[in-house]
Amino acid sequence: MNEDMPKGMITMSMELQNLNLIDLISERHVHLRSLINQLWNTSSDIHISNSEWFIMARIYKKQVTISYVAKHVDISRQATHKLIKNMESKGLVEISKAQHNNKDKCIQLTELGEECYERNKAIKATLEAKIIAAIGVEQAEHLMQVLKLNWGLEMDA
């Protein structure tokens, strides 16, 4: 073990040693999400859940229908509606009637919602810079290329 490595990194390293690829990816994702939430919560009074961030990412700079959101976030339709109502009560989104269909409603980020999304994007950019500094530019670029590949894991219909 490298003695120059920070204590937290040694602990994380030892915990990850016996994990398979899928669990490693999952652990890193959970850890990064947790860090992003901690950093957000120390800089903002507005609590935004991971699911709400996920919805915000799908609608950033767009006006889409709620049914579109439900289909593209892999969350039940009921849960999506509940999350959107909660986001509306925080002032993050606004809901309006769809022009082409009276049944459907459209959703878009408010000015506050866009500001929150952009601040969170800056937090992620800072973390990304730290990761790149830790693993190197070449390794980071390679990792991104690998993650973007089609791994051929789609389920057969």
Side-chain angles (χ1 to χ4, degrees):
M1 210 49 64
N2 186 344
E3 292 181 22
D4 295 334
M5 198 181 286
K7 185 179 180 200
M9 197 173 239
I10 293 170
T11 305
M12 175 67 92
S13 241
M14 291 183 338
E15 291 171 358
L16 300 177
Q17 291 306 310
N18 297 321
L19 298 180
N20 64 32
L21 177 64
I22 292 170
D23 291 337
L24 277 169
I25 292 169
S26 180
E27 285 295 320
R28 288 299 187 166
H29 177 256
V30 167
H31 184 242
L32 288 170
R33 282 277 151 223
S34 176
L35 280 173
I36 292 164
N37 281 338
Q38 286 174 19
L39 291 168
W40 173 261
N41 289 331
T42 59
S43 69
S44 176
D45 294 334
I46 302 171
H47 173 75
I48 302 175
S49 71
N50 283 333
S51 297
E52 290 169 332
W53 284 122
F54 198 58
I55 290 171
M56 291 171 75
R58 296 297 177 272
I59 67 172
Y60 180 67
K61 297 289 187 187
K62 297 180 197 168
Q63 182 178 35
V64 298
T65 62
I66 292 176
S67 59
Y68 169 90
V69 173
K71 287 177 192 168
H72 289 86
V73 294
D74 199 27
I75 301 171
S76 76
R77 195 169 174 82
Q78 269 185 316
T80 301
H81 279 275
K82 187 176 179 180
L83 286 164
I84 289 171
K85 282 289 182 197
N86 195 30
M87 293 168 71
E88 183 183 37
S89 71
K90 295 176 188 178
L92 299 171
V93 298
E94 56 188 16
I95 300 169
S96 59
K97 289 184 179 180
Q99 292 177 348
H100 62 281
N101 181 343
N102 286 339
K103 285 184 182 178
D104 223 347
K105 292 184 178 174
C106 289
I107 179 175
Q108 68 184 45
L109 292 176
T110 61
E111 193 174 314
L112 173 64
E114 285 196 6
E115 180 186 311
C116 290
Y117 181 81
E118 289 164 2
R119 283 178 37 214
N120 195 51
K121 194 174 173 182
I123 289 170
K124 291 190 281 186
T126 300
L127 276 180
E128 184 176 321
K130 287 181 179 183
I131 293 168
I132 291 169
I135 69 173
V137 173
E138 222 174 278
Q139 292 282 42
E141 287 173 357
H142 184 70
L143 176 60
M144 287 183 66
Q145 288 172 356
V146 169
L147 292 173
K148 289 176 183 178
L149 290 173
N150 179 347
W151 294 354
L153 301 175
E154 289 74 25
M155 303 232 345
D156 294 329

